[in-house]
Structures are given as C-alpha cells and as structure tokens.
Amino acid sequence: MDGPFARNEDTEVNSWIKFGMRLGVSAALHPFEYSKTLIQLGYEPIAAIPSTSWTGKPILKLPNIFQYTGHIKRIDGFYGCYRGLAPKLVGSVVAMVVSERVADKLGLNQLEETKDDTDLSEEDEYAQFKLNLKRDIVVTVSGIVASHPFHVISVRMMAQFIGRETLYRSIAGSIVEIWKTEGIGGFFAGLVPKLLADVACLVLSSSTIYIINKYCIKDKLARQYNGAMMQFGFSSLLYPLLVVSTCSSVSGSRLMAGQPPIMPAYANWVDCWNDLQARKELKRGGSLLWRSQIRRSPTLSAGYVPLPSLARYQ
C-alpha cells in the first residue's frame, strides 16, 4: 500500500532495525564499557609501571583498556566480561519504547529530512531545527528517566567485581535489594548529572552544528564531519558529569565499591563532584589507550584495591 501510512510503517521498521544493530554493537563492546565503568569508579587492580610521557617526563603508566579487560577475563572468565549486560540491554529497549511513546503523545513527530536544504526558506529551516531539537530533548529526557533504574543495576553489577559480592545477580534480585536498602531513590541514584550531561551535549552540539552549517559550511560531506566533531567535542567537555553519575550510582549501596575507604560517603552528586574535583579525578576513564596514574589525596587510602572475599556481603 502506497501513501503516507506505508512510508510511516517503513520508517518505523527501519528505526527498529537500526536500533537492533545498535544493541548488537553495544553488546559486543560491553567488556570495554565494563572496564571503563570500573576505571570511572577509581578501581585500579594492576600496578602502574614506570614510563615516560610524550614530552619525555617520567610518569607511572596504567594499563590500557585492553589490558584492563584482559585482567577481568583472567579473574572471571569470558562470560564474566559481560556482567551487567542484561539490565543494560533491557534499559535500552525501555528507553526506546517509552521515549517514542512520549514524543508521539505530545505530537512531536519527527520531520523527514529534506534532500536539499536549499529548498527550504530560512524561516522553514529554523522552524524545522526548533521542532527537531524539541523532540530530541523530550526523547532524551524521557528515555534516560525511564531506563535509569536499569542503568543503576547494570553499574552495580559491574561494581561487584571490586569487592567480589553477589548482591546484584539478577534484575529481579537487584530490584529487591535496592528497594529494601535505599527505597525508590536508589533507583535514580546519579540521574541528575547524567541528565545534565546528555541534555547539555544535545543542545550545545545541535545548536552549534546548525549555526556553523548555516553560515559556514555548505558541502554535505563536510557537514557530516562537522556534526561528528561537535558531538565528540561537547561529549569530552561534559564527560566529568558522567564520571560523577557512575560514582553516585554506586554510592550509598552495600557494595564495597560504594563505601569508605574505596569511596567516601557522598551526601549528593554535588558533593561527589567537589570531592573528585579536589582530587583531580573528574576525567577518570576519559583516556582509554594512554593512561597515567592519578595523584591521589594523602587523606584517602584508595590506592590499589584488593580482591577480597567478604562473607558479610553474601
């Protein structure tokens, strides 16, 4: 059947196919995301080795993301590298479904991209930009809020590697654990900095791309590269908020990774930000291939965390 209805169906099918492909890539790369999460939490199980920086200055070099992932595999095996994947995938599906439903309920249907932007008048182009940005914000916020409980579960499942606990073994068991120990607030630990990072990145990158493309760049290929560069730049700028979100997601739990001396007791995410900023650790995990040891505050004995077996956490 031809017409708008058929086109809408094709668009929906294509979006789900693309979403499925993204899930597959996310699952395949999960071991590296797992390692990055532990690095964001400040966990360094492998001692740094003497090396030199690009300028020839002596430094202590930490293992890169591949060596870190290899360490996890040696401890927990191949399947252990995929700890926390199930809630992550469930959260992605929930975010996709809920965000699209919310956008449709608000009448924020996505506009079809015009083949040639020169066909649009200046007013129409600006109106299209505003509508798409408004829809993207609604989709981002609703998706993050709906999926955040699964994000918290996923992060805590991965954080169990530090203390060798088994509190978060399944999604259902994790929900019971969080509800009993922290209540409803535990499901949304670290939500605010994550929202701030994603929404700010979306608004800043979309606005900058629109302005640069309108006044400076006319070539379509150059516009694609410009978009990728802007998103990467603002993501790097706002990365500290994601580190704070990860730490806040674990703080307050019964996990060893979320308790002193591994992690201070934070009152809120601002307290976490201030502490990490004072110790110059807001960029933990920002560089995955070339990593040097972070100078830690002498008042905190974080050092290198051992791998104990704590019966009291079982």
Side-chain angles (χ1 to χ4, degrees), residues 18-34:
K18 292 178 181 178
F19 176 69
M21 293 175 65
R22 289 200 302 270
L23 282 185
V25 173
S26 177
L29 297 178
H30 182 73
F32 301 112
E33 188 67 27
Y34 185 179

Side-chain angles (χ1 to χ4, degrees), residues 148-307:
H148 195 74
F150 298 99
H151 173 73
V152 171
I153 292 172
S154 178
V155 171
R156 293 187 180 188
M157 281 184 175
M158 292 184 273
Q160 287 183 134
F161 183 85
I162 298 175
R164 312 306 292 166
E165 301 101 336
T166 56
L167 289 171
Y168 298 87
R169 293 184 116 176
S170 65
I171 295 178
S174 300
I175 292 173
V176 172
E177 165 66 18
I178 295 175
W179 179 262
K180 284 184 176 179
T181 57
E182 299 168 73
I184 190 69
F187 293 104
F188 297 97
L191 173 63
V192 175
K194 183 173 177 57
L195 270 178
L196 287 175
D198 288 4
V199 174
C201 182
L202 171 64
V203 174
L204 291 172
S205 60
S206 297
S207 302
T208 305
I209 291 168
Y210 170 75
I211 294 171
I212 293 178
N213 287 350
K214 182 178 179 181
Y215 296 104
C216 302
I217 302 176
K218 300 301 179 184
D219 181 69
K220 289 184 178 180
L221 183 60
R223 286 186 171 190
Q224 292 179 359
Y225 285 117
N226 173 51
M229 289 176 60
M230 288 299 104
Q231 289 178 353
F232 175 78
F234 285 115
S235 295
S236 300
L237 181 66
L238 297 166
Y239 178 78
L241 285 169
L242 297 181
V243 177
V244 172
S245 175
T246 299
C247 292
S248 299
S249 297
V250 177
S251 179
S253 68
R254 291 200 295 160
L255 296 176
M256 180 180 176
Q259 297 181 3
I262 307 303
M263 183 183 293
Y266 296 125
N268 49 53
W269 73 270
V270 177
D271 188 23
C272 179
W273 173 284
N274 291 335
D275 175 65
L276 293 178
Q277 186 179 47
R279 292 191 277 134
K280 299 180 180 179
E281 296 185 14
L282 283 172
K283 284 285 188 178
R284 288 195 303 215
S287 176
L288 299 177
L289 296 178
W290 183 264
R291 304 174 56 234
S292 58
Q293 185 172 1
I294 300 169
R295 291 187 177 182
R296 298 182 183 274
S297 171
T299 60
L300 182 68
S301 58
Y304 293 97
V305 184
L307 296 172

Side-chain angles (χ1 to χ4, degrees), residues 17 36 63 93 112 120 126 141 172 214 240-241 302:
I17 291 175
K36 183 177 179 179
V93 174
E112 293 185 7
L120 294 174
Y126 180 62
V141 172
K214 182 178 179 181
L241 285 169

Side-chain angles (χ1 to χ4, degrees), residues 48-86:
I49 59 174
S51 182
T52 55
S53 65
W54 298 105
T55 58
K57 182 181 178 181
I59 60 170
L60 288 176
K61 184 181 176 183
L62 289 169
N64 60 39
I65 193 70
F66 299 104
Q67 295 168 322
Y68 204 114
T69 304
H71 173 77
I72 296 175
K73 185 180 178 182
R74 284 192 297 272
I75 299 297
D76 284 345
F78 176 78
Y79 293 107
C81 294
Y82 291 88
R83 190 196 302 248
L85 176 60

